[in-house]
Amino acid sequence: MSEYKGVMVYGEVTNGKLSAITTELLGCGRKLSDDLGQELCAVLVGSGISGLAQEAIAFGADKVYVIDDPLLKDYQTDSNVLVIEKLVKQVMPQILILGQTSIGRDLAPRLAFRLETAASMDCVELAIDPDSKLLLQTRPVYGGNARAIFTCESYPQIATVRAKTMAPLARDASRKGEVITIEAGLDPSVIRTKVVEKVSEEVAGIKLEEAGVVVTGGRGIGGAEGFKQLEELAKLLKGAIGATRPPCDNGWVPDGAQVGLTGKIVAPDLYIAVALSGSSQHMSGCSGSKNIIAINKDPEANIMKVARFGIVGDWKKVLPAFTEKVKELLGG
Amino acid sequence: MEGEIGIMNIIVCVKQVLDPEAPPASFKIDPSTNKVVPPPGMPPVVSTFDEYAVEAALRIKDAQGGKVTAISLGANLLRDVVKKPLSMGADELILLDDEAFAEGDSWATAYALAMAIKKIGEYDLILCGRQAADWDAGQTGSGIAEILGLPSVTVAKKIDIVDSKARVERVISDGYEVIEVSLPALITLSNEHAEPRYPTLKGIMAAKKKEPIVWKPADIGVDPSQIGAAGRRTKMVKLFQPVREGKCEIIEGESPEEAAVNLALKLKEVKIL
Ligand SMILES: Cc1cc2nc3c(=O)[nH]c(=O)nc-3n(C[C@H](O)[C@H](O)[C@H](O)COP(=O)(O)OP(=O)(O)OC[C@H]3O[C@@H](n4cnc5c(N)ncnc54)[C@H](O)[C@@H]3O)c2cc1C
């Protein structure tokens, strides 16, 4: 296994920029590769993305492999598995990390099976074991009720990383690195899927994942009408609306509002949790918040154990008065 | 019959798990065994997303006819639990039920399921939940697809069969993409899909009478060293409950409205506002 060396980051691009998760992966990868005394490389896959290689270097990569091909414009499982499989066999990294995103979730397992190794999904901590030099992969399991640490003795050790759990390095445009272009060499006939269309359901306003304040409603809100009241508070605080799963499943809010293990990961300064119980799966998506405030009629609800401040009461009575007072305090 | 698929053969993988909706306070680990202690009085259930996969299969069957075979892997599977797909309307239930199948990782589990699916032989579509509600890995579906050499689409919210292809709506972070995939294919389902149906009384009675087919490792031609705990590629070094520090300060008031005002004042005081 000694011929395997270095750490590789699978980079993602959104709206012509390196995704936030990619800068986080580079920050984490930098630390792992320094601990191993090895190189950190990034790979960028797509169409028209070669201009971003320098950006990956500014965030910590020593080398960037660019696979730029019109056939790679949309993420597709078959094409990405093929090009990354080829690159991994050529570069032979000890560790390959990806984001726990729609792409990483899809690509990592399939790639791991193809390369006859294994992946750990949704890791929140990665470290090098000082004795074995193996990657210690810590991930929440049982909906976040527990954590498990895994190791894998076949290379590359593959892990996906949860958003907002790793710190990016400060961008340093003066950092030097090497950019290497790789031919995709794809035969279009091996791609067994076709992306027919993409439908955006993005809500106007501040993006949930980037908001400094998130006002989240749960099942106890009872309907779409109730969310209007939450929206008023969110607007006042320049925040975004979130939801637990039941309001999404019931169509009170768009699916994209779901916070949690299988929804979005948020870590705002202020998280206001209204009429939600604080299930472990939900908390997986918001436990990184600086301050959690709970409004719930049940003093025994789990959210009351994890919040910093709480009110026991009916949200229908609490929320309007709270919103009113906040408006006054903000001088609005 | 090039280019035409009449009756669809659909296989759905369904896992029995500890109830993921059990209150977090009831969750316990036995440190001596590194295992989760089942919460008392809460029977296991079918993993949430797998129910969506069963629903997706039944919808295709309703629309154009077909045969839905559910398959579950584990040790000492509870018949009342794993028969749920039958009571929802699935035609057949196959159980890979043996100690040797237990405690596998994603690889060991996907391998055994793939070999069982190979033995079933005829399939146009294989459906799984996007991730199991216990280990939350989300790898089994993709693993089965890779072992069987099939295309895969993950985290789907809708499947339509059009011109012998599947048209799949795949959930992405701010919306969805429509993907066309050739058959046979493997698709994993998410809760954005239409809700799983409730079993009807008739369905429950039919499921009671139906005997599942039970396969042991030898029946699917796998060596016990490749499956379950013995077949793992990953090693679990430790399983633990993270300590949740933090104490909640309950804001009081004569009335809910007054408590609300006090909360706003408190947030101002500690400079959160
Ligand atoms: C594998 C898996 C993944 C999952 N992923 C996610 C995920 O990503 N995100 C997610 O949110 N869930 C997820 N879930 C679902 C999760 O387990 C819970 O079912 C869900 O989070 C519960 O939502 P809730 O707290 O709104 O509802 P409930 O648990 O029903 O809580 C409602 C709360 O509202 C309170 N309440 C009711 N009425 C009022 C009132 N008038 N005033 C004040 N309080 C009131 C009640 O006291 C109660 O505490 C997942 C589940 C599984 C199995």
Side-chain angles (χ1 to χ4, degrees):
Chain A
M1 287 293 167
S2 58
E3 64 273 37
Y4 283 86
K5 271 205 169 41
V7 177
M8 181 182 279
V9 164
Y10 176 90
E12 287 185 43
V13 176
T14 16
N15 300 327
K17 281 170 51 184
L18 276 192
S19 307
I21 182 72
T22 301
T23 63
E24 293 161 20
L25 289 171
L26 287 167
C28 161
R30 186 70 263 166
K31 175 143 197 331
L32 296 175
S33 54
D34 288 348
D35 286 353
L36 287 167
Q38 297 174 3
E39 254 180 11
L40 172 66
C41 69
V43 50
L44 296 177
V45 178
S47 175
I49 40 99
S50 49
L52 290 169
Q54 205 53 50
E55 198 59 13
I57 293 169
F59 278 104
D62 299 312
K63 258 189 200 149
V64 181
Y65 297 95
V66 177
I67 314 179
D68 198 322
D69 190 295
L71 279 178
L72 294 167
K73 181 176 147 286
D74 293 312
Y75 169 79
Q76 300 208 74
T77 315
D78 286 337
S79 53
N80 269 259
V81 171
L82 273 172
V83 296
I84 302 296
E85 176 194 9
K86 208 167 89 182
L87 183 69
V88 164
K89 286 182 172 159
Q90 180 190 327
V91 177
M92 301 218 283
Q94 250 173 40
I95 294 172
L96 170 61
I97 52 180
L98 306 87
Q100 176 78 354
T101 59
S102 342
I103 292 178
R105 278 188 165 109
D106 187 79
L107 179 58
R110 192 116 201 192
L111 195 59
F113 278 75
R114 176 77 52 95
L115 292 165
E116 295 184 1
T117 176
S120 286
M121 307 298 286
D122 205 14
C123 294
V124 294
E125 260 177 73
L126 291 176
I128 303 295
D129 183 89
D131 301 322
S132 67
K133 300 287 173 206
L134 287 176
L135 182 66
L136 297 172
Q137 308 159 9
T138 305
R139 54 180 302 260
V141 294
Y142 285 90
N145 279 316
R147 283 188 179 186
I149 305 177
F150 291 97
T151 55
C152 168
E153 290 185 13
S154 42
Y155 287 165
Q157 306 159 85
I158 301 180
T160 66
V161 172
R162 181 177 291 186
K164 298 187 165 71
T165 56
M166 309 286 169
L169 300 176
R171 181 176 182 277
D172 177 0
S174 69
R175 272 187 55 98
K176 295 269 174 300
E178 191 184 347
V179 180
I180 300 151
T181 306
I182 302 278
E183 287 298 320
L186 278 172
D187 167 2
S189 71
V190 301
I191 307 174
R192 294 166 289 183
T193 53
K194 193 172 116 198
V195 181
V196 182
E197 81 176 296
K198 282 194 196 223
V199 180
S200 170
E201 291 177 337
E202 205 165 349
V203 280
I206 302 160
K207 267 188 95 144
L208 181 52
E209 304 96 305
E210 291 160 11
V213 177
V214 174
V215 182
T216 295
R219 196 197 310 261
I221 297 296
E225 271 308 304
F227 272 89
K228 294 245 157 60
Q229 292 189 45
L230 298 187
E231 237 162 72
E232 195 190 329
L233 178 61
K235 238 193 215 128
L236 194 62
L237 295 167
K238 300 195 173 49
I241 286 284
T244 59
R245 197 167 90 184
C248 300
D249 283 353
N250 291 329
W252 305 341
V253 288
D255 290 330
Q258 185 178 319
V259 172
L261 184 64
T262 50
K264 300 222 158 82
I265 308 290
V266 303
D269 290 334
L270 177 57
Y271 192 81
I272 305 180
V274 190
L276 61 88
S277 64
S279 67
S280 52
Q281 293 91 353
H282 179 71
M283 295 318 292
S284 302
C286 63
S287 57
S289 307
K290 278 220 187 74
N291 298 290
I292 297 178
I293 313 291
I295 300 173
N296 197 303
K297 65 178 184 192
D298 175 10
E300 298 302 320
N302 188 57
I303 190 70
M304 290 301 189
K305 301 187 174 78
V306 293
R308 178 162 174 209
F309 298 111
I311 289 185
V312 179
D314 185 344
W315 74 269
K316 291 191 194 103
K317 299 214 170 84
V318 175
L319 197 75
F322 180 69
T323 305
E324 211 40 54
K325 189 69 189 173
V326 168
K327 199 183 276 173
E328 184 194 313
L329 292 173
L330 293 176
Chain B
M1 287 251 284
E2 179 70 27
E4 198 184 306
I5 290 185
I7 301 273
M8 296 269 294
N9 282 303
I10 309 171
I11 296 172
V12 191
C13 301
V14 178
K15 186 178 186 184
Q16 172 184 311
V17 297
L18 296 180
D19 191 341
E21 305 265 355
S26 69
F27 187 88
K28 299 257 154 14
I29 289 168
D30 179 351
S32 67
T33 55
N34 234 6
K35 280 191 188 139
V36 178
V37 185
M42 302 222 42
V45 294
V46 160
S47 184
T48 326
F49 299 114
D50 302 353
E51 287 191 13
Y52 286 90
V54 174
E55 178 62 30
L58 293 174
R59 283 181 176 234
I60 296 168
K61 180 184 160 179
D62 292 346
Q64 60 189 87
K67 180 180 176 197
V68 176
T69 304
I71 172 164
S72 295
L73 173 149
N76 306 312
L77 294 167
L78 298 174
R79 299 301 189 260
D80 279 351
V81 176
V82 293
K83 277 188 170 186
K84 181 145 190 204
L86 288 177
S87 61
M88 289 169 74
D91 300 285
E92 206 73 70
L93 175 65
I94 296 174
L95 302 179
L96 305 182
D97 194 347
D98 196 284
E99 286 298 338
F101 290 119
E103 309 288 327
D105 63 0
S106 304
W107 157 255
T109 302
Y111 177 69
L113 287 168
M115 296 310 278
I117 292 168
K118 238 186 203 165
K119 174 164 167 140
I120 296 170
E122 285 194 349
Y123 53 83
D124 303 297
L125 206 52
I126 304 168
L127 305 181
C128 297
R130 61 178 287 180
Q131 67 194 57
D134 48 7
W135 291 97
D136 291 316
Q139 300 200 58
T140 301
S142 298
I144 293 170
E146 184 60 31
I147 295 167
L148 296 176
L150 301 176
S152 54
V153 180
T154 53
V155 194
K157 67 168 186 160
K158 192 162 189 282
I159 305 173
D160 289 306
I161 306 299
V162 187
D163 297 336
S164 69
K165 282 189 174 146
R167 235 178 122 91
V168 187
E169 294 182 5
R170 171 176 196 260
V171 181
I172 51 176
S173 107
D174 281 301
Y176 63 94
E177 49 192 16
V178 182
I179 294 181
E180 236 172 53
V181 60
S182 60
L183 298 179
L186 184 138
I187 300 171
T188 74
L189 276 297
S190 189
N191 60 289
E192 286 84 352
H193 187 274
E195 293 274 331
R197 65 195 62 188
Y198 288 105
T200 58
L201 197 59
K202 197 169 144 238
I204 294 169
M205 297 312 289
K208 273 222 163 68
K209 278 192 238 131
K210 186 126 198 153
E211 271 311 304
I213 300 163
V214 181
W215 284 344
K216 298 286 170 187
D219 296 319
I220 55 170
V222 299
D223 192 274
S225 69
Q226 293 169 291
I227 54 170
R232 295 185 71 104
R233 282 182 179 170
T234 53
K235 194 162 100 197
M236 188 166 73
V237 186
K238 195 175 166 193
L239 180 68
F240 61 103
Q241 278 180 273
V243 255
R244 293 223 167 83
E245 79 280 25
K247 225 177 87 224
C248 181
E249 184 180 332
I250 300 291
I251 308 292
E252 315 265 1
E254 288 294 317
S255 63
E257 289 82 0
E258 193 185 302
V261 168
N262 291 341
L263 174 62
L265 290 169
K266 186 76 188 186
L267 296 186
K268 176 94 179 169
E269 181 195 319
V270 298
K271 301 206 162 60
I272 293 177
L273 275 188

